[in-house]
Amino acid sequence: MKDAKTTRLTKRIATECIVVRLRALNRAVSKIYDDALRPLGLRVSQMNILVAAGVVGEARPADVCAALHLDLSTLSRNVERMKAKGWLEVIPDDDGRAQPFRLTRKGSALLSDAAPAWSKAQCRAKSILGGQSLDFLDRAMKRLNAASS
Amino acid sequence: MKDAKTTRLTKRIATECIVVRLRALNRAVSKIYDDALRPLGLRVSQMNILVAAGVVGEARPADVCAALHLDLSTLSRNVERMKAKGWLEVIPDDDGRAQPFRLTRKGSALLSDAAPAWSKAQCRAKSILGGQSLDFLDRAMKRLNAASS
DNA sequence: CTTGTTAAAATGTATATACAAGTAACCTTG
DNA sequence: CAAGGTTACTTGTATATACATTTTAACAAG
């Protein structure tokens, strides 16, 4: 631990590392939304899936995962829980492998009910990340998607 | 799901939500570092803890958690695993409740060995998030810390 | 039509994460 | 110094996350 080279290196990582900061912000900001959504029995990860399904109507797991940069297995478990809660339902499909899903009436209603909590959390998040946060995040997502394809 | 108000709302969340983007970026960027660190048997979450301990010398769990916006229970489990691997060791303390820890020689060496992988991942992360990413993240962290105190 | 390949998703396993509750040590105060 | 409160962490539990493997179905070649 007294090695000077190691110390320099450690300090460099500490002052420059992107992922440390990104992860800390993710935890803090996710907590803001989770706190706001908790009274509804909804988590931010689940809200994201409801939104994704709401936008496209018929959601294909692989597509949702590509959009959210989420592993299929992670989505699989969450969809399972959300089906059990009656928020999502699987749509029959010609391809026997596919498991496309959509919002149920209950899931749609929950999303509507969550709007005020979302707005409140969104405001707080914006005040912490700064006014350009959405710009920054959108640009980053575009680059990420360009790099992934 | 056919309710027009709900549809409008859903689209608004989809196009504006900060946390969806932050979480997706966090997953994608964490993966870049985890992939780079995997050959060393080290994860990004663990690297962060090694760095935190390396910077302060004697790390107090509560301080590390405050700095990383991490729950104490999360840190507790990870420190346990890292002690088992011989990367961290607990320092005796006058206060019987405290469990301050520091890097072992092995932990310090691992951190040094991880530097090239970190650099590579850091480059890729910067190319995705953009040149101003560190500025943005630093400013956000400052605001977050100001808001938390 | 069977056999190898690809594709879509589910399942096994380990770590990450946080909330709630518990434990043990310290501190205050009467 | 004993009772009550605070502090520092740990443990119980549930969800989040990803990698590796498995399962099932579609497809393609012979």
Side-chain angles (χ1 to χ4, degrees):
Chain A
M1 236 316 286
K2 320 181 155 173
D3 180 355
K5 192 156 67 176
T6 302
T7 302
R8 242 188 359 261
L9 222 146
T10 303
K11 292 209 169 134
R12 181 157 176 242
I13 297 181
T15 53
E16 295 180 25
C17 184
I18 286 172
V19 80
V20 173
R21 289 157 176 77
L22 187 57
R23 287 169 69 89
L25 284 171
N26 178 54
R27 284 187 287 263
V29 172
S30 287
K31 183 166 160 52
I32 291 171
Y33 288 80
D34 271 329
D35 286 348
L37 296 171
R38 190 164 301 120
L40 295 146
L42 182 62
R43 302 193 169 214
V44 67
S45 52
Q46 301 173 328
M47 188 199 71
N48 294 348
I49 296 170
L50 289 182
V51 170
V55 168
V56 297
E58 298 198 2
R60 303 201 161 257
D63 294 343
V64 173
C65 286
L68 299 180
H69 293 267
L70 187 66
D71 194 87
L72 259 167
S73 62
T74 303
L75 181 67
S76 181
R77 265 87 178 212
N78 218 337
V79 167
E80 189 176 32
R81 278 189 287 268
M82 293 169 76
K83 279 193 293 187
K85 291 184 189 244
W87 301 341
L88 296 178
E89 65 189 354
V90 170
I91 307 166
D93 194 281
D94 284 345
D95 187 332
R97 296 166 300 180
Q99 291 281 297
F101 59 85
R102 66 177 160 226
L103 298 182
T104 60
R105 194 163 303 210
K106 194 172 167 189
S108 182
L110 175 62
L111 193 48
S112 293
D113 291 348
W118 174 80
S119 286
K120 207 175 127 191
Q122 176 83 355
C123 266
R124 289 198 54 203
K126 209 173 279 186
S127 80
I128 282 171
L129 297 181
Q132 302 84 14
S133 53
L134 197 53
D135 269 1
F136 173 82
L137 294 170
D138 265 334
R139 268 200 295 271
M141 284 301 290
K142 280 201 182 72
R143 287 195 209 215
L144 174 60
N145 290 328
S148 305
S149 60
Chain B
M1 236 317 286
K2 324 188 148 159
D3 179 354
K5 192 156 68 177
T6 302
T7 302
R8 246 192 349 266
L9 222 145
T10 303
K11 292 207 170 138
R12 182 156 175 241
I13 297 181
T15 52
E16 296 181 22
C17 185
I18 286 172
V19 81
V20 174
R21 291 157 175 76
L22 186 59
R23 287 169 70 89
L25 284 171
N26 177 56
R27 284 187 288 263
V29 172
S30 288
K31 183 166 161 50
I32 291 171
Y33 288 79
D34 272 329
D35 286 347
L37 295 172
R38 189 164 302 120
L40 295 147
L42 181 63
R43 302 193 168 215
V44 67
S45 52
Q46 299 173 330
M47 189 198 71
N48 294 348
I49 295 170
L50 289 181
V51 170
V55 168
V56 298
E58 299 198 2
R60 305 203 160 255
D63 294 343
V64 172
C65 287
L68 299 180
H69 292 268
L70 187 66
D71 194 87
L72 259 168
S73 63
T74 303
L75 181 68
S76 181
R77 264 91 177 210
N78 218 337
V79 167
E80 189 175 31
R81 279 188 288 269
M82 293 169 77
K83 280 193 292 186
K85 291 185 189 242
W87 302 341
L88 297 178
E89 65 190 354
V90 169
I91 307 165
D93 194 282
D94 284 346
D95 187 333
R97 296 165 301 180
Q99 292 281 297
F101 59 86
R102 67 177 158 225
L103 297 182
T104 60
R105 194 164 303 212
K106 194 173 168 190
S108 182
L110 175 62
L111 194 48
S112 293
D113 292 346
W118 173 80
S119 286
K120 206 175 128 191
Q122 177 82 356
C123 266
R124 289 199 54 203
K126 210 172 278 185
S127 81
I128 283 171
L129 297 180
Q132 302 84 14
S133 53
L134 197 54
D135 268 2
F136 173 82
L137 294 170
D138 265 334
R139 267 201 296 271
M141 283 300 290
K142 280 202 180 73
R143 287 195 208 213
L144 174 60
N145 290 327
S148 305
S149 60

